[in-house]
């Protein structure tokens, strides 16, 4: 399958600071999905990126898919305590049916 | 729709006992996935089904693990015998396919398994 690596593993920010997590692959990805998991919760779908160079925004969250479709990023502007959680990127396996999840980036926001 | 339903939410058992985890996917979804999540290994795909048929079980750790989907609204993941290293959160997820590709996955709340 298409494996993805995420960095950083952990990030601790002060409320109001920006945050970015990166997702990288050694192979070209067909598309990529992002999920958020709150502490003690389950992963929840955020977005899917399909096109090369695609940029999508959801309020303070900006998602980007690289031109070569080998990397992706999630940027949060002016973090809030509600942004706390682990953010996962996931790429489809070669079959196109199952997802390979990255290890995630755990975000801690202190007021 | 109530979303993906899993039971039990918590399970504590002793080593050697049989454990059965249950999942009810979202009605109409044609794919069902079982994952295991631990701090060390992250979120691992164990097995997935399409229209109740197991497609890929290469993630199942060993023969102690088995999964079934007798109908479109029910799946089980069984561990027999259980071992302490099986302690983890087990998630079930379902999704709908469109033009041969699965869309977003909807996860259940998970079952936190502790094997003593």
């Amino acid at each position: 399958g298409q494996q993805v690596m995420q960095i950083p593993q952990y990030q601790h920010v002060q409320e109001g600071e920006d945050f970015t997590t990166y997702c990288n692959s050694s192979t070209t990805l067909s598309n990529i999905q992002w999920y958020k998991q709150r502490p003690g919760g389950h992963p929840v779908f955020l977005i899917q990126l399909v096109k090369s160079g695609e940029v999508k925004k959801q309020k303070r969250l900006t998602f980007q898919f690289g031109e070569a479709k080998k990397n992706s990023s999630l940027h949060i502007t002016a973090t809030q305590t509600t942004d706390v959680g682990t953010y996962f990127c996931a790429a489809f396996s070669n079959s196109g049916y199952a997802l390979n999840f990255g290890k995630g980036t755990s975000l801690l926001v202190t007021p | 729709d109530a979303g993906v339903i899993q039971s039990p939410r918590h399970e504590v058992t002793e080593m050697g006992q049989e454990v059965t985890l249950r999942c009810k996917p979202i009605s109409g979804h044609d794919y069902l996935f079982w994952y295991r999540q631990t701090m060390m290994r992250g979120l691992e795909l164990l097995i997935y089904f399409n229209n109740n048929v197991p497609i890929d079980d290469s993630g199942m750790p060993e023969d102690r693990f088995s999964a079934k989907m007798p109908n479109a609204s029910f799946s089980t993941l069984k561990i027999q015998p259980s071992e302490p290293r099986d302690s983890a959160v087990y998630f079930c997820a379902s999704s709908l396919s469109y033009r041969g590709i699965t869309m977003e996955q909807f996860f259940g709340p998970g079952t936190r398994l502790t094997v003593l």
Side-chain angles (χ1 to χ4, degrees), chain B:
Chain B
D1 199 320
V4 176
I5 299 172
Q6 289 187 250
S7 65
R9 294 293 306 276
H10 301 273
E11 177 80 32
V12 180
T13 190
E14 293 188 343
M15 182 174 61
Q17 296 298 307
E18 177 180 295
V19 175
T20 299
L21 311 181
R22 297 173 176 80
C23 174
K24 176 179 168 54
I26 292 174
S27 176
H29 282 191
D30 54 348
Y31 279 85
L32 184 140
F33 306 85
W34 281 101
Y35 292 90
R36 177 172 68 176
Q37 186 175 41
T38 61
M39 288 294 293
M40 290 298 294
R41 301 176 68 89
L43 199 57
E44 302 174 276
L45 176 65
L46 300 177
I47 185 172
Y48 72 95
F49 296 82
N50 174 224
N51 292 323
N52 315 337
V53 176
I55 302 300
D56 185 353
D57 65 352
S58 59
M60 297 284 260
E62 48 197 275
D63 292 343
R64 297 185 297 106
F65 286 69
S66 63
K68 295 182 179 179
M69 191 165 186
N71 56 63
S73 59
F74 184 66
S75 177
T76 60
L77 178 67
K78 185 177 293 187
I79 308 172
Q80 167 64 18
S82 57
E83 296 182 2
R85 60 191 167 124
D86 301 330
S87 297
V89 179
Y90 291 81
F91 288 105
C92 173
S94 69
S95 70
L96 197 58
S97 64
Y98 175 71
R99 292 186 177 181
I101 301 294
T102 53
M103 307 304 283
E104 62 185 280
Q105 293 189 10
F106 293 82
F107 283 75
T111 295
R112 182 173 295 277
L113 173 65
T114 303
V115 183
L116 302 174

Side-chain angles (χ1 to χ4, degrees), chain A residues 1 10 23 32 46 59 71-73 88 106:
Chain A
Y10 302 98
C23 184
I32 196 159
L46 293 176
K59 298 182 179 179
N71 57 75
S72 181
S73 65
F88 295 95
S106 293

Side-chain angles (χ1 to χ4, degrees), chain A:
Chain A
Q2 297 176 318
Q3 303 296 326
V4 288
M5 304 295 293
Q6 275 188 263
I7 54 171
Q9 188 175 0
Y10 302 98
Q11 186 80 54
H12 181 186
V13 300
Q14 293 288 117
E15 190 173 24
E17 293 181 337
D18 292 356
F19 160 77
T20 304
T21 175
Y22 300 91
C23 184
N24 299 298
S25 171
S26 59
T27 60
T28 301
L29 303 172
S30 55
N31 49 23
I32 196 159
Q33 295 185 352
W34 285 90
Y35 290 77
K36 176 184 178 182
Q37 183 177 20
R38 295 181 187 275
H42 57 276
V44 174
F45 175 82
L46 293 176
I47 208 160
Q48 175 169 281
L49 304 173
V50 180
K51 299 177 182 177
S52 169
E54 188 170 16
V55 178
K56 287 188 176 180
K57 293 189 176 184
Q58 291 178 351
K59 298 182 179 179
R60 295 177 295 102
L61 276 62
T62 301
F63 303 85
Q64 188 164 1
F65 204 7
E67 292 289 341
K69 300 182 74 173
K70 289 185 175 182
N71 57 75
S72 181
S73 65
L74 159 59
H75 179 82
I76 302 178
T77 303
T79 55
Q80 301 176 357
T81 54
T82 53
D83 296 324
V84 166
T86 301
Y87 293 85
F88 295 95
C89 63
F92 281 109
S93 66
N94 293 333
S95 70
Y97 303 126
L99 286 172
N100 294 317
F101 281 80
K103 289 288 171 52
T105 296
S106 293
L107 173 64
L108 178 62
V109 181
T110 51

